[in-house]
Amino acid sequence: GNSVTQMEGPVTLSEEAFLTINCTYTATGYPSLFWYVQYPGEGLQLLLKATKADDKGSNKGFEATYRKETTSFHLEKGSVQVSDSAVYFCALSITPDGEYGNKLVFGAGTILRVKS
Amino acid sequence: DSGVTQTPKHLITATGQRVTLRCSPRSGDLSVYWYQQSLDQGLQFLIQYYNGEERAKGNILERFSAQQFPDLHSELNLSSLELGDSALYFCASSEYGQIQETQYFGPGTRLLVL
């Protein structure tokens, strides 16, 4: 089946620390991969995406590379800020078997807390 | 602001009741998705519509139904509500419903069943 596994949190870092949130996936076919961020009381916002192997998505200092050989899409940022505190979701987009559309399959989410 | 609107923002109701959640997609988007977010199940895909037609179905209960109207807005109907249906329900939209497209999420409707 299709699934996403991401590291459990919460992850607590000091400001300007390096961030890595691990994400691995299992998928039939060729998924697109996404990182979404959810701030308290809000909906999900796209952080970055990659649609094929070896693509690198980047936005606001965050980066992730689509690694087909290791089925991974780890999120990194060189220097986190307090404003980065949020819940981060790794997701894959795939066409369900026997259907024409697509769906997002999400990981459980990782809470990030950044201290000043 | 993603451009996706959802109403109502909050809904409190009793077991056995029926509610309707409404979603308006971003201007120009033809595809609408519904997701449920709960503490025990996480974010789960419910259903996708494209230009009025159902395209993909996830773990949507038989008590739940949805449709997309000619003006492209969508409604999710939840009936015979149970305590376990309490959750945050998100609508998302994308232009053509393709797997490489970004899905833009609305702010959600928080449903509390008492």
Side-chain angles (χ1 to χ4, degrees):
Chain A
N2 301 303
S3 66
V4 175
T5 302
Q6 60 181 107
M7 62 190 286
E8 291 188 23
V11 173
T12 303
L13 296 173
S14 297
E15 208 164 21
E16 299 183 4
F18 185 85
L19 168 71
T20 300
I21 301 179
N22 290 335
C23 171
T24 57
Y25 67 90
T26 302
T28 52
Y30 303 95
S32 292
L33 301 176
F34 300 81
W35 277 100
Y36 280 87
V37 60
Q38 186 176 30
Y39 297 99
E42 297 185 13
L44 283 79
Q45 300 175 24
L46 176 73
L47 184 57
L48 52 84
K49 72 177 187 181
T51 59
K52 61 183 188 296
D54 300 324
D55 270 1
K56 177 188 276 190
S58 60
N59 186 28
K60 299 180 183 177
F62 290 90
E63 293 184 340
T65 300
Y66 188 161
R67 301 280 188 208
K68 191 177 174 187
E69 63 276 11
T70 54
T71 62
S72 65
F73 194 54
H74 305 320
L75 182 68
E76 296 183 337
K77 187 177 186 185
S79 176
V80 294
Q81 305 300 313
V82 172
S83 57
D84 293 327
S85 299
V87 183
Y88 291 79
F89 291 93
C90 184
L92 64 84
S93 179
I94 198 79
T95 297
D97 289 341
E99 298 192 279
Y100 295 103
N102 74 95
K103 64 176 183 179
L104 285 170
V105 176
F106 287 91
T110 302
I111 297 173
L112 171 65
R113 297 184 180 133
V114 181
K115 305 180 299 182
S116 59
Chain B
D1 184 358
S2 67
V4 178
T5 60
Q6 290 187 247
T7 56
K9 195 164 185 177
H10 300 279
L11 203 44
I12 301 174
T13 188
T15 54
Q17 295 300 303
R18 172 189 168 95
V19 296
T20 297
L21 313 183
R22 184 188 167 103
C23 167
S24 293
R26 289 189 327 153
S27 177
D29 284 356
L30 298 175
S31 191
V32 168
Y33 309 77
W34 287 97
Y35 293 87
Q36 180 193 59
Q37 185 178 32
S38 62
L39 283 174
D40 54 344
Q41 300 274 351
L43 272 158
Q44 297 284 324
F45 167 73
L46 296 178
I47 198 162
Q48 178 203 10
Y49 281 86
Y50 174 78
N51 206 21
E53 294 187 2
E54 183 184 306
R55 277 292 176 94
K57 209 165 186 176
N59 300 320
I60 187 166
L61 300 171
E62 284 192 15
R63 301 183 285 108
F64 295 2
S65 65
Q67 60 184 126
Q68 186 181 27
F69 294 86
D71 67 353
L72 302 177
H73 91 272
S74 179
E75 293 181 357
L76 178 67
N77 299 295
L78 314 177
S79 62
S80 303
L81 285 166
E82 301 175 0
L83 296 177
D85 298 327
S86 296
L88 195 48
Y89 291 85
F90 286 111
C91 170
S93 73
S94 72
E95 192 172 12
Y96 298 115
Q98 303 294 311
I99 69 166
Q100 68 275 18
E101 291 175 350
T102 299
Q103 291 183 28
Y104 294 90
F105 282 75
T109 293
R110 186 171 294 279
L111 173 66
L112 181 58
V113 182
L114 299 175

